[in-house]
Amino acid sequence: MLTVGRGYPSTCQSDLTAVGNITIGKYNTINGNVRSQSSISNSGTITGSKTIGPVATEPLPSLSYSAGGLSKILPQNGTLPLAPGSYNHVTMYSYSKLKLTSGDYYFNSLKYGSSTVTTVVSEIDLSSGNPVTLNVMNNLYLGNEVEIRLLPNGEADSKLVAISARQSTAVTVGREAYVLGTLNAPNRTLTLEKNSQLRGTICTNVIVVSNDCLFLHHDSPGSLPGPGNLPKTPGEGYEVDDENAPVTSYELAQNYPNPFNPETAIRFALPEAASVTVVLYSLSGQAVKELVNGEFTSGRHQVIWDGRDASGAAVAGGIYFYRLIARSANGEETFTQTRKMTLVK
């Protein structure tokens, strides 16, 4: 089954073929042919042919391996070189970097961040020209803003990387993730979240593509824009169309526009009144400016950053981070999230 979520608008420069159902959401243009062996549900535009008929099947990979050994936790801003071998649980936190090399890795769980942990990097040294395989038993998690970096040739070496998951649960590529390689998750659902980028191949039972994604095959011409460089939809980060709808959860939206020069808007939502701080950080982790520090009512809020630091001086172009922390009346931290943005000059 193949599902293309609602676009804003979105364009797919490829043919779509699936043994199961194909569902195309609104505001999508498919510049190619669409063929399914069972059914096609189309709310978008297909410029090529639409065919219900036999489809050549591609057998999914059969995964057979086990894992175990030491567990590793990468703290915030931490770096860990990890040799090929077998491990129990490997978990990464914000701004951490996992350094791998050619060879076979086995994990019971491999967690690149979470829905709130961001900017996690996996740097893989492929200078030997030999492949790397990451084999996960129970929990492969590719969270928001994960970056898979391949040294020294970048996207050109995507065929040398294979990431496999035997887990019984779905596999997600988080928002603004940048992933290079083949993803194997047989008999599972694999979702590409908003603004994610992937060069490689996906072998799975069900693929769900959210809006504003870019997915290129290993041999596709051109290159990906790079981490954090896909255009953002205005208001991205809010799942409701009505800005006046009640807020039921904490939200920190992606800044808009992004990339930006010289100003950008940062929006957040609170389900209840809270004390809120929003602090800007440089790529090195140095605080640039405290943008917000005060009491806010429940609802949706917006603040503008003009590209200047705490002293009022214009900052240099580059990557910056903004972190929101919300606290209740008794000072207890109730929500925190960090996002990345790019100032261009």
Side-chain angles (χ1 to χ4, degrees), residues 65 100 103-107 110 112 122 124 132-136 148 161-165:
Y65 50 78
L100 308 176
D104 297 327
Y105 292 84
Y106 301 90
F107 306 93
L110 178 61
Y112 287 100
S122 182
I124 305 177
V132 60
T133 63
L134 309 182
N135 303 295
V136 183
I148 306 293
V161 179
I163 305 174
S164 300

Side-chain angles (χ1 to χ4, degrees), residues 295-308:
E295 303 295 324
F296 286 79
T297 60
S298 62
R300 302 184 188 279
H301 306 275
Q302 175 175 293
V303 61
I304 303 295
W305 183 40
D306 60 2
R308 297 182 179 274

Side-chain angles (χ1 to χ4, degrees), residues 106-124:
Y106 301 90
F107 306 93
N108 269 325
S109 70
L110 178 61
K111 296 184 67 177
Y112 287 100
S114 67
S115 60
T116 56
V117 173
T118 59
T119 317
V120 174
V121 174
S122 182
E123 188 177 271
I124 305 177

